Amino acid sequence: MVRATSICPPYYGGGQQAKQKKSDYIFFIDADTHVDDKELLRELMTYDRKFCWPDVKLASKYPTVEPKASRYLNSGAFIGYAPEIWQLLQPSIENLEDDQLYYTKSYLNEELREKLGMKLDVESHIFQNLNGAKDDVKLDVDLDTNRGTLKNINFLTTPSVIHGNGPSKVELNAFANYLANTYNHKCLICQENRLKLDEKNLPIVTLALIGITPVPFFDMFLNHTAYIHYPKNRMHLFIYSGVEYLDAMAKSHLKKYEEEYLSAKIVLSTDQFDERRARQLAVQQAKQKKSDYIFFIDADTHVDDKELLRELMTYDRQFIAP
């Protein structure tokens, strides 16, 4: 039997998992981890990582590994036989104790390491940490089977457990859109918990159109945004023209449509606002107008789907970007 151990709030450190009932195997994972394979029963094995943490002074005590391998232990996930793990947890970890440091010191005890058969997955056969390993991995998606796999390109391995440790949770979130049968020519997770718009009370949107460089067809770009299927009386318009070449077209568009929007503001090249200040001003305007959303569209992008804004809203996310 495999016992799935879950750490839920309040979380007091690594001591909690030591108090679970006995099992044949124990597979421990942090919540910021993605599992892509059910066939994981192996000897006692734990994560590797690129950095020695939390005590960098212990780095020199680790066994050496070949270049590009991950040398240091990470306690974010491990799997092994329960009896050996119970021995590893004697004495048990205190609730406020650092489990990472506890397991590190246990692993660096050569006698204990040999006795329990502890190994680090230094070549990412099972476990893959993402922090510090951005250039070590590659996502492959088979469009015939819709199956995505994450590969370690240094060792040509296909790890089953992907850990978004530290600041790498954004990368984990992106990869998770294609792993574990979450992709079928579109993101299946994105289809969950979709928001249904209330047509009688649609959100207020600030539409921010940003022209930074003298792009061609700027007038067509502006006209396409005017055809977005969303009532203009629920939108505030903001136009930024950062170069003189775009100014006349921006003013012409404003003159044509400004009465249809809740409000309209234009910033021309003569106002001498750089891009950063212009975007900040757009956000400031959205806040002042109490907009529910701000929809940025740069002039080098053409909106051909009239339903785009409505569809983006139904995903009910705080931020959506390409």
Side-chain angles (χ1 to χ4, degrees), residues 18-126:
K19 300 176 181 178
Q20 305 297 320
K21 295 180 180 179
K22 290 189 176 181
S23 312
D24 296 325
Y25 301 91
I26 292 179
F27 178 30
F28 175 84
I29 55 174
D30 281 351
D32 56 357
T33 306
H34 178 91
V35 181
D36 198 33
D37 195 339
K38 297 179 181 178
E39 305 299 326
L40 287 173
L41 298 184
R42 303 288 176 90
E43 58 196 311
L44 180 56
M45 186 174 287
T46 187
Y47 259 118
D48 60 291
R49 66 185 293 144
K50 294 289 186 181
F51 314 111
C52 184
W53 182 87
D55 188 350
V56 296
K57 296 189 296 294
L58 297 176
S60 62
K61 299 182 181 297
Y62 274 85
T64 57
V65 296
E66 65 177 277
K68 296 189 177 181
S70 298
R71 183 181 181 185
Y72 307 109
L73 179 145
N74 185 299
S75 65
F78 56 81
I79 188 170
Y81 296 109
E84 281 74 11
I85 292 181
W86 299 131
Q87 291 183 58
L88 177 64
L89 294 173
Q90 301 304 320
S92 62
I93 309 173
E94 297 298 327
N95 282 338
L96 298 180
E97 190 173 353
D98 189 324
D99 59 319
Q100 172 86 11
L101 186 59
Y102 180 97
Y103 291 125
T104 295
K105 290 181 177 179
S106 298
Y107 177 76
L108 294 179
N109 182 328
E110 186 174 355
E111 181 180 350
L112 181 63
R113 184 169 73 239
E114 294 297 325
K115 176 183 176 182
L116 300 182
M118 296 178 67
K119 293 183 179 180
L120 296 186
D121 186 13
V122 298
E123 295 182 355
S124 300
H125 290 275
I126 299 177

Side-chain angles (χ1 to χ4, degrees), residues 29-36 47 160-164 172 175-180 182:
I29 55 174
D30 281 351
D32 56 357
T33 306
H34 178 91
V35 181
D36 198 33
Y47 259 118
S160 301
V161 181
I162 316 301
H163 185 204
L172 176 66
F175 289 141
N177 290 329
Y178 301 94
L179 300 174
T182 59

Side-chain angles (χ1 to χ4, degrees), residues 80-316:
Y81 296 109
E84 281 74 11
I85 292 181
W86 299 131
Q87 291 183 58
L88 177 64
L89 294 173
Q90 301 304 320
S92 62
I93 309 173
E94 297 298 327
N95 282 338
L96 298 180
E97 190 173 353
D98 189 324
D99 59 319
Q100 172 86 11
L101 186 59
Y102 180 97
Y103 291 125
T104 295
K105 290 181 177 179
S106 298
Y107 177 76
L108 294 179
N109 182 328
E110 186 174 355
E111 181 180 350
L112 181 63
R113 184 169 73 239
E114 294 297 325
K115 176 183 176 182
L116 300 182
M118 296 178 67
K119 293 183 179 180
L120 296 186
D121 186 13
V122 298
E123 295 182 355
S124 300
H125 290 275
I126 299 177
F127 303 111
Q128 175 67 61
N129 274 316
L130 294 179
N131 188 22
K134 183 178 180 180
D135 296 331
D136 297 344
V137 297
K138 177 184 177 183
L139 177 68
D140 286 335
V141 179
D142 187 330
L143 296 181
D144 293 327
T145 63
N146 294 319
R147 178 167 176 79
T149 54
L150 193 70
K151 296 183 178 180
N152 184 298
I153 60 176
N154 294 326
F155 299 100
L156 302 180
T157 54
T158 307
S160 301
V161 181
I162 316 301
H163 185 204
N165 55 318
S168 65
K169 293 173 179 56
V170 174
E171 286 85 356
L172 176 66
N173 183 61
F175 289 141
N177 290 329
Y178 301 94
L179 300 174
N181 300 318
T182 59
Y183 179 78
N184 186 7
H185 297 291
K186 62 181 178 181
C187 173
L188 299 182
I189 294 177
C190 299
Q191 309 307 314
E192 299 176 357
N193 304 316
R194 294 285 291 268
L195 181 69
K196 186 175 182 179
L197 297 178
D198 181 359
E199 294 296 329
K200 296 181 179 180
N201 187 29
L202 289 171
I204 301 297
V205 178
T206 290
L207 177 63
L209 309 178
I210 309 296
I212 305 168
T213 58
V215 294
F217 311 115
F218 183 60
D219 53 343
M220 292 178 59
F221 159 76
L222 294 172
N223 287 333
H224 281 194
T225 64
Y227 300 145
I228 292 175
H229 181 210
Y230 203 84
K232 291 183 176 60
N233 61 5
R234 303 292 291 175
M235 302 175 77
H236 297 282
L237 178 63
F238 179 92
I239 303 176
Y240 169 64
S241 170
V243 290
E244 183 180 358
Y245 174 76
L246 306 179
D247 284 353
M249 289 177 280
K251 289 189 290 186
S252 175
H253 184 80
L254 181 71
K255 182 178 180 180
K256 183 176 181 180
Y257 290 104
E258 63 179 326
E259 297 299 327
E260 299 183 32
Y261 289 93
L262 285 171
S263 71
K265 181 175 180 60
I266 188 170
V267 177
L268 300 173
S269 63
T270 52
D271 295 315
Q272 298 184 337
F273 272 55
D274 61 17
E275 178 190 354
R276 181 180 62 84
R277 288 184 61 198
R279 292 186 187 275
Q280 289 177 339
L281 180 60
V283 173
Q284 181 181 342
Q285 288 287 111
K287 289 181 177 180
Q288 290 178 351
K289 301 296 184 180
K290 300 187 183 304
S291 295
D292 299 297
Y293 295 90
I294 183 168
F295 185 24
F296 279 103
I297 312 178
D298 285 4
D300 56 0
T301 304
H302 279 240
V303 177
D304 297 316
D305 184 356
K306 297 179 181 180
E307 303 298 329
L308 176 61
L309 177 56
R310 288 172 176 268
E311 184 173 359
L312 290 174
M313 286 181 175
T314 64
Y315 289 122
D316 197 22

